[in-house]
């Protein structure tokens, strides 16, 4: 038998680096944000735009990315976005991001976090292993595995089987009707299951990474890596 979860509502310096493709037109490709003060930078439709609550806006053509150590830089006269692929927290919630960013807006330096903006279809057609929970190695003796296909989620928490439904709009993942079987497992496996099911209460943001995806929300984050044959 399956038991229902709680209701789900609306995770080398000397070596020449390969060239980075310029930003393509289309949906938002990248978002960066910061707090104290609040600000955001968006790369979209061939533009790079800065906004803050005071009403300041800097909107410039998106420059070609320049490779930097473990990341990329977008540099213009008024606005620079420096992306480092290193985990980041926004300081105000449990949400984790894959990138640490530095923004220079009209000479003012601002530090924050960033992520690719378009997570649509990032999960579909691939079996995933939960590689980290809140950035740490899962405690259970068996890996948790998740599949997303045709609006259905299935897999295992490393203890019990899990099934349910989901919807994915751009980078926003919402799960519904998720349930698990009732088998008892060792304490470490039960701890792992409890954290995974708590995080799956979402909603979650899907963040593309170099080696997989991160599902991140107010309840924590799951880092997923693809299972290859």
């Amino acid at each position: 038998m399956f038991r229902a979860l709680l209701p789900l509502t609306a995770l080398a310096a000397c070596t020449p680096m390969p060239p980075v493709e310029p930003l393509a037109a289309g949906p938002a490709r990248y978002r960066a944000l910061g707090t104290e003060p609040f600000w955001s930078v968006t790369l979209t439709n061939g533009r790079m735009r800065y906004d803050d609550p005071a009403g300041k806006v800097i909107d410039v053509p998106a420059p070609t990315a320049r490779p930097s150590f473990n990341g990329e830089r977008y540099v213009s006269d008024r606005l620079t976005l420096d992306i480092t692929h290193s985990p980041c927290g926004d300081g105000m919630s449990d949400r984790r991001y894959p990138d640490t960013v530095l923004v220079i807006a009209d000479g003012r330096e601002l530090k924050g976090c960033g992520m690719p903006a378009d997570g649509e279809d990032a999960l579909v057609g691939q079996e995933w292993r939960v590689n980290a929970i809140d950035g740490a190695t899962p405690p259970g003796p068996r890996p948790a595995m998740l599949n997303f296909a045709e609006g259905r989620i299935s897999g295992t928490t490393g203890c019990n089987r899990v099934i349910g439904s989901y919807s994915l709009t751009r980078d926003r993942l919402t799960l519904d009707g998720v349930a698990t079987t009732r088998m008892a497992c060792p304490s470490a496996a039960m701890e792992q299951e409890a954290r995974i099911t708590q995080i799956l209460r979402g909603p979650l943001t899907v963040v593309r990474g170099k080696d997989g995806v991160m599902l991140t929300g107010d309840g924590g984050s799951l880092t997923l890596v693809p299972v290859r044959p």
Side-chain angles (χ1 to χ4, degrees), residues 11 28-31 95 97 115-123 167-174 203-208 214-216:
L11 206 29
R29 292 281 302 280
Y30 196 87
R31 294 192 186 101
R95 182 166 294 182
Y97 300 82
M115 63 181 180
D118 189 358
E120 191 168 5
D121 294 332
L123 294 174
S167 61
L168 181 61
T169 304
R170 293 185 58 78
D171 61 351
R172 197 67 164 175
L173 176 68
T174 303
L204 299 166
T205 298
V206 181
V207 181
R208 295 178 185 265
M214 179 185 292
L215 307 181
T216 179

Side-chain angles (χ1 to χ4, degrees), residues 3 6 17-18 24 94 141 161 165 175 187 193 196 218 227:
R3 68 173 185 273
L6 294 178
M17 297 184 67
D94 292 329
R161 288 185 294 144
S165 61
L175 296 109
S187 59
E193 178 173 292
I196 290 172
D218 290 341
V227 177

Side-chain angles (χ1 to χ4, degrees), residues 42-78:
T42 303
L43 289 169
T44 182
N45 293 323
R47 309 290 297 182
M48 183 166 64
R49 178 185 171 103
Y50 168 90
D51 292 90
D52 68 27
K56 183 179 181 66
V57 175
I58 303 173
D59 191 338
V60 299
T64 299
R66 302 177 183 178
S68 64
F69 180 72
N70 198 30
E72 305 83 41
R73 299 186 78 222
Y74 295 87
V75 181
S76 71
D77 290 341
R78 296 188 60 194

Side-chain angles (χ1 to χ4, degrees), residues 5-147:
L5 303 183
L6 294 178
L8 303 181
T9 59
L11 206 29
C14 295
T15 302
M17 297 184 67
V20 179
E21 293 296 324
L23 182 73
R29 292 281 302 280
Y30 196 87
R31 294 192 186 101
L33 57 89
T35 59
E36 299 180 357
F38 290 95
W39 56 266
S40 66
V41 171
T42 303
L43 289 169
T44 182
N45 293 323
R47 309 290 297 182
M48 183 166 64
R49 178 185 171 103
Y50 168 90
D51 292 90
D52 68 27
K56 183 179 181 66
V57 175
I58 303 173
D59 191 338
V60 299
T64 299
R66 302 177 183 178
S68 64
F69 180 72
N70 198 30
E72 305 83 41
R73 299 186 78 222
Y74 295 87
V75 181
S76 71
D77 290 341
R78 296 188 60 194
L79 182 61
T80 294
L81 174 63
D82 192 334
I83 302 169
T84 300
H85 301 311
S86 175
C88 179
D90 62 17
M92 297 190 68
S93 71
D94 292 329
R95 182 166 294 182
R96 300 289 294 173
Y97 300 82
D99 299 331
T100 299
V101 301
L102 172 67
V103 166
I104 304 175
D106 282 341
R108 183 183 185 186
E109 292 191 359
L110 300 161
K111 295 181 180 180
C113 304
M115 63 181 180
D118 189 358
E120 191 168 5
D121 294 332
L123 294 174
V124 179
Q126 173 67 60
E127 184 177 20
W128 300 96
R129 174 172 58 84
V130 177
N131 191 53
I133 302 174
D134 297 327
T137 301
R142 296 181 179 178
M145 313 292 287
L146 297 175
N147 291 273

